[in-house]
Amino acid sequence: MPVPGARYRDMHSGMSGKNAAIRRVLQAMYHPEWAFDVGVFGKPHDLGNISAYRGEVTKLEDYIGWLSNNFDPSISWKDLEWIREFWDGPMLIKGILDPNDAKDAVKFGADGIIVSNHGGRQLDGVLSSTKALPSIADAVKGDLKIVVDSGIRSGLDVVRMLALGADCTMLGRSYIYALAAKGQAGVENLIDLYEQEMRVAMTLCGANTLKDLTRESLINIY
């Protein structure tokens, strides 16, 4: 992203903004069982991947500041070319909402794109991934892998995205919730629920396999 978005929800939740630390303490007080579990068994209390990169323990406030300092408004396709010079592995470009950008990704040689509006956190009112996906699939389907995220909360949502042209979907919020609630067991249960919901949706719209899902299937889903 060239600049950070105005994430008002982060301010409201205590992730950023004035008195953020006080907000988080109050939230912990209202959820004592969770606070005890995280406080005792959740150590070390730092952002491990960023700490390893920075070479020092990184708290939430340190991370927010570090992140803000690393945005660059001049970012462009040339930066991806620079990355490609020393990275010959698979490359997926995230945040694609426009068919022309998808075509540019094909020209660039990307292995895939992630159709995403970043969960609607970067710009209020931006086009949803669901709205953007069909025209992008029409433009580049088969030329690279099309992954999609944002707004996927159930197996039915996965089926919708596949029918609209995605090769696969990502899961963000729901899996994080499951992980926070029950750890590995919670995530395993979530995946089982998604599978069950997909099977029900596919059965009710007459699709025996994932390849049978087309936009005509959405007449039954919607």
Side-chain angles (χ1 to χ4, degrees):
M1 302 300 299
V3 294
R7 299 184 176 183
Y8 300 114
R9 179 174 292 183
D10 285 355
M11 297 180 188
H12 177 73
S13 66
M15 289 288 290
S16 62
K18 294 182 179 180
N19 301 319
I22 296 176
R23 285 173 176 266
R24 292 197 296 275
V25 170
L26 291 175
Q27 290 172 3
M29 292 173 63
Y30 278 107
H31 303 85
E33 184 178 351
W34 176 89
F36 178 79
D37 186 43
V38 173
V40 175
F41 301 108
K43 296 179 180 180
H45 296 149
D46 74 317
L47 300 171
N49 53 343
I50 303 298
S51 297
Y53 179 82
R54 296 179 70 237
E56 57 184 294
V57 174
T58 302
K59 301 294 185 179
L60 184 59
E61 291 81 1
D62 301 324
Y63 167 71
I64 296 297
W66 176 84
L67 188 65
S68 298
N69 292 333
N70 278 276
F71 282 96
D72 183 358
S74 67
I75 191 170
S76 67
W77 288 98
K78 290 189 177 297
D79 293 283
L80 292 176
E81 295 172 1
W82 171 74
I83 293 174
R84 181 54 88 188
E85 288 180 2
F86 60 85
W87 171 254
D88 58 3
M91 181 180 289
L92 279 74
I93 302 175
K94 182 177 180 179
I96 301 296
L97 291 174
D98 182 85
N100 290 325
D101 284 340
K103 292 177 182 178
D104 286 340
V106 173
K107 294 177 183 177
F108 167 74
D111 299 280
I113 57 174
I114 302 176
V115 179
S116 171
N117 67 0
H118 300 282
R121 297 184 303 168
Q122 291 301 121
L123 185 62
D124 290 346
V126 73
L127 189 67
S128 72
S129 299
T130 307
K131 290 288 187 182
L133 179 57
S135 59
I136 291 175
D138 289 340
V140 299
K141 183 73 171 179
D143 296 328
L144 41 57
K145 293 296 182 182
I146 301 176
V147 186
V148 63
D149 73 9
S150 301
I152 299 170
R153 303 287 184 267
S154 68
L156 177 58
D157 292 332
V158 175
V159 170
R160 286 192 180 107
M161 294 299 191
L162 296 178
L164 289 173
D167 292 304
C168 67
T169 74
M170 300 178 71
L171 303 179
R173 187 175 305 178
S174 58
Y175 119 79
I176 290 294
Y177 285 173
L179 182 66
K182 288 292 182 179
Q184 179 176 333
V187 176
E188 290 176 350
N189 182 61
L190 176 76
I191 294 174
D192 289 340
L193 290 173
Y194 266 76
E195 179 183 0
Q196 293 171 24
E197 291 165 349
M198 289 181 66
R199 289 183 181 277
V200 170
M202 292 173 63
T203 299
L204 293 178
C205 68
N208 293 321
T209 68
L210 295 178
K211 293 182 179 179
D212 294 330
L213 291 172
T214 66
R215 291 179 198 175
E216 286 71 25
S217 303
L218 297 182
I219 296 174
N220 294 320
I221 294 178
Y222 284 107

